[in-house]
Amino acid sequence: MTRPLQDLPDQALLDYIFAQLNERMAPYPEEPLEGHLRGLSQLPRGLHAMATTCALDANVAVSGLAWHFAQWPDPRFTAETLTGLRELDAEPLAHTVEAGWRLVRPYLNDLHLASQESPDAFDGWYRDSPLAELLAPLDDDLRHVLSPQKHGIYHLWLAYARKHPDRLS
């Protein structure tokens, strides 16, 4: 008899989630964003939420919301991320990301271009922009909730998977 998902230890449950995501999010031949969005649309709602929030966690850890939006500048992906956060019962995080998106929008083209040039070009542009000061409190809030001591976004994934194991398959 297989052990119920909600009874698995944290690492085993995360291993299961990542195996499901890796299996179901096969690369698509079209443009990366289009393929990613297509893959997301085929996931069960719990895995969908996890797949849309993974990039946020990694990007906030690296360099904050500005870097996240520079890497994912399409409003459709932001909408997917917000939906994912809300599915994970993380409304305060969704509110913070949404506020960041509103602040970033006027700078998005420059932000994206600088990030495509190089990480150093991005850092130089961002440090000298008014956006850095605007996003600082939001980044602080996100880093507090998504801290490595709390296992980043994964603590939300684990709680969700234990509460809604039926939404992972």
Side-chain angles (χ1 to χ4, degrees), residues 33-87:
L33 177 64
E34 296 303 322
H36 192 73
L37 291 172
R38 187 167 141 221
L40 288 172
S41 72
Q42 297 174 12
L43 293 174
R45 69 195 259 192
L47 289 177
H48 180 275
M50 294 168 188
T52 63
T53 58
C54 191
L56 174 69
D57 185 65
N59 289 325
V60 166
V62 170
S63 199
L65 278 173
W67 183 252
H68 176 71
F69 291 128
Q71 299 306 300
W72 296 96
D74 192 290
R76 295 173 297 167
F77 190 77
T78 298
E80 293 286 349
T81 301
L82 294 172
T83 299
L85 289 168
R86 290 183 174 114
E87 177 66 23

Side-chain angles (χ1 to χ4, degrees), residues 60-134:
V60 166
V62 170
S63 199
L65 278 173
W67 183 252
H68 176 71
F69 291 128
Q71 299 306 300
W72 296 96
D74 192 290
R76 295 173 297 167
F77 190 77
T78 298
E80 293 286 349
T81 301
L82 294 172
T83 299
L85 289 168
R86 290 183 174 114
E87 177 66 23
L88 293 171
D89 296 323
E91 184 60 41
L93 284 177
H95 177 75
T96 300
V97 171
E98 197 166 33
W101 177 248
R102 283 192 303 271
L103 292 171
V104 162
R105 294 287 306 253
Y107 303 92
L108 197 56
N109 190 51
D110 292 335
L111 190 70
H112 183 65
L113 289 174
S115 76
Q116 296 302 301
E117 187 178 329
S118 73
D120 289 338
F122 168 82
D123 285 341
W125 180 89
Y126 181 62
R127 245 190 338 269
D128 295 336
S129 76
L131 185 59
E133 189 174 328
L134 294 171

Side-chain angles (χ1 to χ4, degrees), residues 133-163:
E133 189 174 328
L134 294 171
L135 289 179
L138 300 178
D139 283 336
D140 290 344
D141 289 348
L142 287 174
R143 285 190 182 106
H144 175 73
V145 176
L146 301 176
S147 72
Q149 295 84 355
K150 295 181 180 180
H151 305 293
I153 197 84
Y154 304 142
H155 75 280
L156 296 174
W157 291 13
L158 291 167
Y160 180 93
R162 289 193 170 100
K163 185 177 179 181

